[in-house]
């Protein structure tokens, strides 16, 4: 079969790899669409993945075309979205309800072959059936939405809160949609990309700006969310949190990124600084919300490119062009 392959640091190609075979409790999915993510850029640079080469792609959906001998919940022809998370279910973190922090954490498209291919293998337990009205080519959005939902679980947003989001790419826009629906009284968005800010305005944010100073809110925001991973944005955001507020590090930064905190301010103003790692008990909820129309795929997906153009699609994503880019085998 044809697949994208990150073969070594900085080197990506589309090539032929062996057809996948399902294990006893696995299925083979014919991929309809696979989304690109910032994590894919980190993998390309040798981060996240413990070893290369690897077939990337952890945001995907498609049709079941083969099932393992012990699979009873799915059948050939079922259309599914796939939760890429792979946990050991044995370590302390799995046993205490923090499986996303599993000591043996793994993921389809990160540590094992993923959905940037014609076919992909997944545990049957990781597959969520799609209702008839949901397109498999749109359902690649469910995985990033599940990450955003996990972020909102972490910050425990309250009704009437003021929210500041750094970044209006796919994840920032998803955070915007969730903030609106969890009762925020206002959602302000910062980005240096005017086109992306225009999309945030289209989705109904309160205000947009290239820098938070333009908002003239010296008291800060109850919830500040970084969806960029950019060190400068993170540093600025840490200084925008209101008393008793929360800063969420949601964007994936480079390993070398650093930010300075003010311990006395954190103590004196009871500021919470926290993070959100991938998916945890949120994939099924994301699938339900997506099916209910939480997101408009025509707004979120800016580019649909053939699998043969995966290396170019990754370069396009790295350059900040468009919003969600998906490849279609």
């Amino acid at each position: 079969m044809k697949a994208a392959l990150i073969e070594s640091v900085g080197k990506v190609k589309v090539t032929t790899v062996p057809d996948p075979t399902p294990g006893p409790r696995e299925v083979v999915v014919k991929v309809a669409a696979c989304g690109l993510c910032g994590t894919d850029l980190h993998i390309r640079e040798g981060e996240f993945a413990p070893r290369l080469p690897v077939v990337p792609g952890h945001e995907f959906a498609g049709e079941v075309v083969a099932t393992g001998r012990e699979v009873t919940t799915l059948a050939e022809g079922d259309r599914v979205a796939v939760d890429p998370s792979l946990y050991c279910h044995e370590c302390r973190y799995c046993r205490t309800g923090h499986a996303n922090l599993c000591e043996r954490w793994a993921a389809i498209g990160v540590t094992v072959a993923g959905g940037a291919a014609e076919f992909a293998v997944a545990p049957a337990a990781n597959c969520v059936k799609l209702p008839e009205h949901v397109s498999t080519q749109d359902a690649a959005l469910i995985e990033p939405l599940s990450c955003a939902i996990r972020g909102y679980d972490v910050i425990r947003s309250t009704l009437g809160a003021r929210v500041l989001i750094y970044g209006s790419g796919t994840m920032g826009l998803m955070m915007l949609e969730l903030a609106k629906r969890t009762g925020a009284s206002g959602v302000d968005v910062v980005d240096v990309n005017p086109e992306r800010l225009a999309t945030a305005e289209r989705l109904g944010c309160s205000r947009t700006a290239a820098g938070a100073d333009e908002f003239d809110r010296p008291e800060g925001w109850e919830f500040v969310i970084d969806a960029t991973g950019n060190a400068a944005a993170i540093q600025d955001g840490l200084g925008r949190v209101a008393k008793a507020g929360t800063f969420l590090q949601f964007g994936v930064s480079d390993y070398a990124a650093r930010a300075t905190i003010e311990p006395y301010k954190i103590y004196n103003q009871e500021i919470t600084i926290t993070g959100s790692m991938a998916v945890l008990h949120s994939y099924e909820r994301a699938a339900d919300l997506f099916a209910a129309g939480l997101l408009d795929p025509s707004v979120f997906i800016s580019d649909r490119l053939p699998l043969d153009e995966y290396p170019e699609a990754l370069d396009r994503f790295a350059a900040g062009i468009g919003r969600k880019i998906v490849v279609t085998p």
Side-chain angles (χ1 to χ4, degrees):
M1 71 169 182
K2 187 184 298 182
L5 187 71
I6 300 177
E7 54 182 348
S8 60
V9 175
K11 293 187 177 181
V12 185
K13 66 179 182 180
V14 177
T15 186
T16 299
V17 299
D19 291 341
T21 302
R25 298 184 179 183
E26 296 177 328
V27 299
V28 175
V29 176
K30 182 180 180 181
V31 178
C34 177
L36 274 63
C37 170
T39 299
D40 298 317
L41 298 179
H42 284 277
I43 296 171
R44 186 177 68 172
E45 299 308 312
E47 299 177 343
F48 252 88
R51 67 180 70 88
L52 296 176
V54 68
V55 175
H58 58 278
E59 305 176 358
F60 67 99
E63 179 184 333
V64 174
V65 293
T67 61
R69 65 177 183 275
E70 296 180 18
V71 174
T72 60
T73 56
L74 296 170
E76 292 182 20
D78 285 342
R79 297 181 314 113
V80 297
V82 179
D83 179 351
S85 308
L86 301 173
Y87 309 134
C88 76
H89 302 291
E90 297 175 353
C91 72
R92 175 180 177 83
Y93 297 103
C94 284
R95 296 197 311 270
T96 57
H98 299 282
N100 61 324
L101 305 179
C102 174
E103 291 178 348
R104 303 179 186 89
W105 183 88
I108 301 167
V110 180
T111 58
V112 300
E118 293 180 295
F119 300 93
V121 170
N126 289 48
C127 297
V128 175
K129 291 183 184 180
L130 298 173
E132 290 185 6
H133 70 279
V134 173
S135 164
T136 49
Q137 291 208 344
D138 293 339
L141 289 171
I142 292 174
E143 196 279 340
L145 178 58
S146 70
C147 293
I149 291 171
R150 167 59 183 163
Y152 258 82
D153 287 346
V154 168
I155 64 174
R156 302 177 185 272
S157 180
T158 54
L159 290 171
R162 296 287 305 194
V163 179
L164 174 63
I165 299 172
Y166 285 79
S168 52
T170 300
M171 301 313 303
L173 295 175
M174 287 186 176
M175 284 297 197
L176 164 61
E177 293 286 39
L178 291 176
K180 288 160 47 183
R181 285 162 176 77
T182 52
S185 61
V187 188
D188 300 324
V189 179
V190 172
D191 203 312
V192 296
N193 186 320
E195 181 182 350
R196 288 185 170 182
L197 285 181
T199 304
E201 292 172 354
R202 177 181 174 186
L203 291 178
C205 70
S206 303
R207 299 178 295 180
T208 61
D213 283 338
E214 297 180 37
F215 296 134
D216 189 25
R217 189 175 173 82
E219 68 273 31
W221 287 258
E222 286 86 356
F223 295 98
V224 177
I225 300 170
D226 173 69
T228 69
N230 178 275
I234 294 165
Q235 188 68 70
D236 189 69
L238 286 167
R240 307 287 179 178
V241 184
K243 292 180 180 180
T246 297
F247 177 87
L248 175 67
Q249 185 54 51
F250 184 71
V252 183
S253 64
D254 294 335
Y255 283 6
R258 295 291 183 270
T260 301
I261 63 171
E262 301 173 61
Y264 179 80
K265 182 179 178 181
I266 295 169
Y267 147 76
N268 184 254
Q269 298 185 9
E270 295 193 350
I271 291 172
T272 299
I273 299 174
T274 189
S276 173
M277 165 60 184
V279 180
L280 182 66
H281 310 310
S282 54
Y283 197 89
E284 286 76 8
R285 285 181 288 154
D288 287 344
L289 285 170
F290 188 78
L294 175 71
L295 306 180
D296 181 349
S298 68
V299 173
F300 278 81
I301 299 175
S302 61
D303 299 86
R304 299 179 190 268
L305 302 173
L307 177 61
D308 284 335
E309 296 181 19
Y310 186 89
E312 294 80 11
L314 203 56
D315 288 338
R316 184 178 178 86
F317 181 79
I321 300 172
R323 293 175 299 281
K324 176 58 67 177
I325 298 174
V326 300
V327 293
T328 56

